[in-house]
Amino acid sequence: DIQMTQSPSSLSASVGDRVTITCRASQSISNYLNWYQQRPGKAPKLLMFAASNFQSGVPSRFSGRGSGTDFTLTIASLQPEDFATYYCQQSYSLPHTFGQGTKLEIK
Amino acid sequence: QVQLQESGPGLVKPSQTLSLTCTVSGGSISRGGYYWSWIRQRPGKGLEWIGYINYSESTNYNPSLQSRISISVNTSESQFSLKLNSVTAADTAVYFCARDTPVRGGSTFDPWGQGTLVTVSS
């Protein structure tokens, strides 16, 4: 299985801050990397696919980069609705695997 | 717009079989190219892909659960189902169904059902 490791596991930040979450794969996954946002008690929501492509309706303050084994999700200016948990997920090979999540909290 | 909804018992006894159904609305489960997945999230933990099926009953399961799971599809009812046998407390989780959608650069889970909590307890 491909292991996905996110850092940090949690992050405290303020509205308006710029934050970056990192995801590392245990082997190269090309750009087969997705990002999801999960709010408490809700299902995950697709934010970005293929490392850097926006899902429809996702604000432009979100951006994704990377290929191979190292990927980042950046939120340019945090809004109150962005405080949630973020997961990366690889679709390069089965079984699909997720990172352990990064919980973004209000400072 | 495709929507998914999980249903099934919220409480299962240890050693018994967990059975859940996902009903797909707003689109055809028989449309080629899509796989229909089950994903779970244990309390306070991350996400674990369980397995998927397509309309022609082609399946793939997570090796960590393969010996205990079965996923089936009923295209006439626009449903797919999960059976997980010999459950223990470690199988207590929120179970989600999701469409595994091909995209340029792999596939994505989109959309998702709202999730259903299944507790394994006597």
Side-chain angles (χ1 to χ4, degrees):
Chain A
D1 299 4
I2 297 176
Q3 305 303 315
M4 307 300 293
T5 304
Q6 288 180 234
S7 60
S9 295
S10 63
L11 178 57
S12 292
S14 301
V15 172
D17 284 354
R18 177 186 179 92
V19 299
T20 295
I21 298 168
T22 297
C23 177
R24 176 165 287 175
S26 60
Q27 65 183 73
S28 177
I29 58 171
S30 184
N31 68 332
Y32 289 34
L33 190 283
N34 306 315
W35 290 98
Y36 299 85
Q37 176 192 67
Q38 186 178 33
R39 296 192 174 101
K42 299 295 186 182
K45 169 189 168 185
L46 178 66
L47 286 180
M48 312 208 63
F49 63 92
S52 60
N53 294 272
F54 293 101
Q55 176 65 348
S56 175
V58 172
S60 58
R61 61 181 179 273
F62 289 89
S63 63
R65 296 186 63 179
S67 67
T69 60
D70 294 318
F71 302 85
T72 58
L73 175 71
T74 297
I75 310 172
S77 178
L78 279 171
Q79 299 302 301
E81 60 269 28
D82 300 336
F83 292 94
T85 300
Y86 293 84
Y87 293 93
C88 61
Q89 174 247 328
Q90 65 82 18
S91 65
Y92 184 79
S93 68
L94 294 173
H96 294 307
T97 47
F98 294 85
Q100 81 279 14
T102 296
K103 186 173 183 179
L104 183 51
E105 299 175 302
I106 300 175
K107 184 182 289 185
Chain B
Q1 179 156 334
V2 173
Q3 293 184 309
L4 290 80
Q5 177 69 58
E6 305 89 350
S7 59
L11 181 65
V12 181
K13 289 181 167 47
S15 80
Q16 294 192 343
T17 297
L18 179 159
S19 295
L20 295 173
T21 295
C22 182
T23 301
V24 179
S25 60
S28 174
I29 199 171
S30 299
R31 181 175 171 182
Y34 293 122
Y35 284 85
W36 303 92
S37 277
W38 287 99
I39 297 159
R40 71 179 182 180
Q41 186 169 37
R42 297 174 194 172
K45 301 295 185 183
L47 298 157
E48 179 181 28
W49 177 75
I50 298 170
Y52 69 35
I53 192 166
N54 71 1
Y55 74 98
S56 63
E57 301 181 289
S58 174
T59 57
N60 197 293
Y61 302 145
N62 193 319
S64 67
L65 295 166
Q66 186 163 0
S67 63
R68 297 196 292 131
I69 61 175
S70 174
I71 299 176
S72 59
V73 65
N74 182 334
T75 54
S76 63
E77 296 290 331
S78 200
Q79 295 177 331
F80 63 105
S81 299
L82 169 69
K83 290 189 185 300
L84 175 63
N85 57 39
S86 305
V87 297
T88 69
D91 295 310
T92 293
V94 175
Y95 287 77
F96 297 98
C97 56
R99 187 178 69 179
D100 195 334
T101 303
V103 296
R104 174 173 41 90
S107 64
T108 65
F109 296 119
D110 181 62
W112 296 60
Q114 65 185 27
T116 187
L117 175 62
V118 179
T119 301
V120 179
S121 175
S122 56

